[in-house]
Amino acid sequence: MKNFGIYILSISLLLAANAQGQVQSAMSLKETERSSFLGEWKVGLSGTDNHDERSQSKKVDFRLDLKAKYHLTSYLLLDVQPAFRLQSGQTQSVDGADSAENKLLLNQAAMDFQPSKYFKFMAGALNQRSLHNQLLLDKIAFPAARAETMFNSTQVESGFALETAIPTSTSMSANTSELEPTPTFNTASASLNWLPSKRAFWKNRAGFFSFKNLPSAVAQKSQFLGNGVNSISEADYKFKYEYEGLEASTEISIPVLNRLTLLAGADYTQNQKAPTDLNAASFYWGGAELFVNRNFSVQVTGGRFAIAPDSAVAYFSTLETNRVGYSVESIFKFQRERFNLSVKFQDAETMYQSDTQSREQTLQLKLETSYANI
């Protein structure tokens, strides 16, 4: 009861802080438009219950996300997006994995050079989700250099991107020893989006990816998340297969009634260096959003996933590999108050029998505000 009271109090404080932020945003809107600096913030509070046959954990997670963008010139932008995460809770596991931890994260820290509306070059710690789907990479930033071309019209946006990066952890560490070469991650992708209105759109992206020289530490951690790994010695590990292949994603939104929109999407990844029965991952989902009134809507989605053991590097992916299962999520969107309340359940069974994995179930309750100007 005490923890429940603390949770309710935290939610109240978050909503009050966000409301204050909206007032301040409205008062300073004209000043912000005239300034070369733009700062935004949002907060989130979530509770997660996760358990399988070997472990269980219950955590409360508080997160503060910041965005700071400064236009040095009309074509040069400094973009810094840090995040602060505080966790508390209880974890019971054999190896102590998934224990609660506090972290300073970096969503992005980049310099954008855009001399024209058709070309952009970015360098720094670049968030990978803008180019890749959740089956291949989590919302993580890699030290990278990226070149993009854009061709946009009234309703159609298209582009092509090339990137070379160093795959790292959330602490920006490459996890290499002194004798190991620097790992690399190279990608090429193309996008084509049809955007006739805010509620009606069709977004598509496809690309090629290649990991090279992945270190022993990444292989060691990935073997507990589903990847095939060989143990060379007590301290050295190596992936059974290299990771190079194709990925694609699509998302569509179709208004069918004045207050109802149908939603659907799919993600696919294939590692062409692994055997056919071990190299593919897919996630298909669908749902609908009901607009109750101008200020409130309810979105319900559900999907199924099948992720073969060596379809992606599990250490970097949002979902573990060697998993098959489903997820359902409901999001309650409060437009006037500018926050979302969501409930998500996921059931993931193992695709192939594993000594390190078993059936896993996760239930999450999350409150998150929209971005507000600083």
Side-chain angles (χ1 to χ4, degrees):
M1 182 64 67
K2 180 179 178 181
N3 291 336
F4 180 76
I6 294 175
Y7 186 74
I8 295 298
L9 178 60
S10 300
I11 291 178
S12 301
L13 292 174
L14 287 178
L15 295 179
N18 186 61
Q20 179 65 23
Q22 302 309 317
V23 173
Q24 293 177 349
S25 298
M27 294 176 61
S28 60
L29 180 60
K30 293 184 178 180
E31 288 79 359
T32 302
E33 291 176 345
R34 292 195 295 264
S35 173
S36 58
F37 172 80
L38 174 63
E40 296 179 298
W41 66 279
K42 73 173 182 179
V43 292
L45 179 67
S46 65
T48 305
D49 185 347
N50 177 276
H51 64 273
D52 58 23
E53 295 178 0
R54 296 176 175 83
S55 64
Q56 61 178 351
S57 66
K58 295 182 179 181
K59 300 177 188 174
V60 174
D61 188 310
F62 174 82
R63 179 170 175 136
L64 170 65
D65 288 88
L66 300 174
K67 288 184 179 181
K69 297 183 178 182
Y70 186 76
H71 288 271
L72 300 173
T73 67
S74 59
Y75 50 83
L76 194 60
L77 172 69
L78 178 62
D79 182 7
V80 180
Q81 301 180 29
F84 305 89
R85 189 182 71 186
L86 303 176
Q87 283 187 336
S88 64
Q90 184 180 19
T91 300
Q92 297 177 351
S93 63
V94 176
D95 56 2
D98 297 326
S99 58
E101 58 181 349
N102 302 325
K103 274 189 175 183
L104 171 62
L105 307 173
L106 192 60
N107 293 324
Q108 181 146 303
M111 186 72 73
D112 295 10
F113 175 68
Q114 188 171 357
S116 76
K117 63 179 182 179
Y118 302 108
F119 173 79
K120 180 168 66 173
F121 177 79
M122 305 172 66
L126 305 182
N127 195 287
Q128 297 299 305
R129 182 52 65 83
S130 62
L131 292 186
H132 307 287
N133 65 44
Q134 61 180 332
L135 298 174
L136 183 65
L137 291 176
D138 199 356
K139 295 179 181 179
I140 188 172
F142 289 164
R146 180 187 303 167
E148 295 184 41
T149 58
M150 297 85 69
F151 305 95
N152 302 330
S153 64
T154 305
Q155 296 185 357
V156 178
E157 295 180 354
S158 61
F160 183 77
L162 293 173
E163 180 184 87
T164 181
I166 301 175
T168 60
S169 65
T170 54
S171 61
M172 304 302 291
S173 170
N175 291 297
T176 57
S177 65
E178 293 182 359
L179 300 179
E180 290 181 314
T182 301
T184 60
F185 176 61
N186 297 316
T187 62
S189 68
S191 64
L192 179 61
N193 303 325
W194 181 50
L195 310 167
S197 69
K198 184 178 180 180
R199 289 177 55 191
F201 59 81
W202 187 17
K203 300 178 181 180
N204 303 275
R205 179 175 290 277
F208 168 84
F209 68 90
S210 176
F211 287 95
K212 297 295 184 183
N213 302 320
L214 290 171
S216 173
V218 172
Q220 180 185 17
K221 296 174 182 177
S222 294
Q223 70 176 334
F224 297 105
L225 303 174
N227 285 152
V229 175
N230 293 322
S231 177
I232 301 174
S233 66
E234 292 185 0
D236 294 323
Y237 299 83
K238 186 177 181 179
F239 286 102
K240 287 184 178 180
Y241 311 103
E242 294 183 355
Y243 290 88
E244 180 179 293
L246 305 173
E247 64 165 326
S249 61
T250 185
E251 181 181 359
I252 189 169
S253 174
I254 306 174
V256 292
L257 296 172
N258 185 40
R259 294 191 175 186
L260 182 65
T261 299
L262 298 183
L263 308 169
D267 295 322
Y268 180 79
T269 299
Q270 183 185 70
N271 176 21
Q272 298 179 326
K273 295 294 186 179
T276 305
D277 58 336
L278 302 175
N279 74 350
S282 61
F283 179 51
Y284 304 95
W285 62 271
E289 183 171 3
L290 175 64
F291 295 85
V292 179
N293 55 48
R294 293 180 56 188
N295 300 312
F296 177 67
S297 65
V298 179
Q299 178 179 310
V300 179
T301 57
R304 290 196 59 85
F305 53 86
I307 309 172
D310 298 297
S311 57
V313 182
Y315 179 70
F316 298 125
S317 177
T318 303
L319 302 171
E320 294 183 3
T321 62
N322 191 36
R323 291 291 188 181
V324 58
Y326 69 92
S327 65
V328 291
E329 183 177 21
S330 296
I331 305 176
F332 304 91
K333 302 181 179 181
F334 299 84
Q335 305 295 340
R336 179 183 299 169
E337 295 79 6
R338 297 177 60 84
F339 75 90
N340 295 337
L341 179 64
S342 63
V343 181
K344 182 178 181 179
F345 175 76
Q346 179 173 292
D347 190 336
E349 184 60 271
T350 55
M351 180 177 289
Y352 297 95
Q353 186 175 357
S354 171
D355 294 332
T356 60
Q357 293 175 298
S358 60
R359 183 180 181 182
E360 182 181 69
Q361 294 182 324
T362 303
L363 177 64
Q364 183 183 68
L365 174 65
K366 184 176 183 180
L367 170 72
E368 186 174 55
T369 68
S370 300
Y371 274 104
N373 291 338
I374 297 176

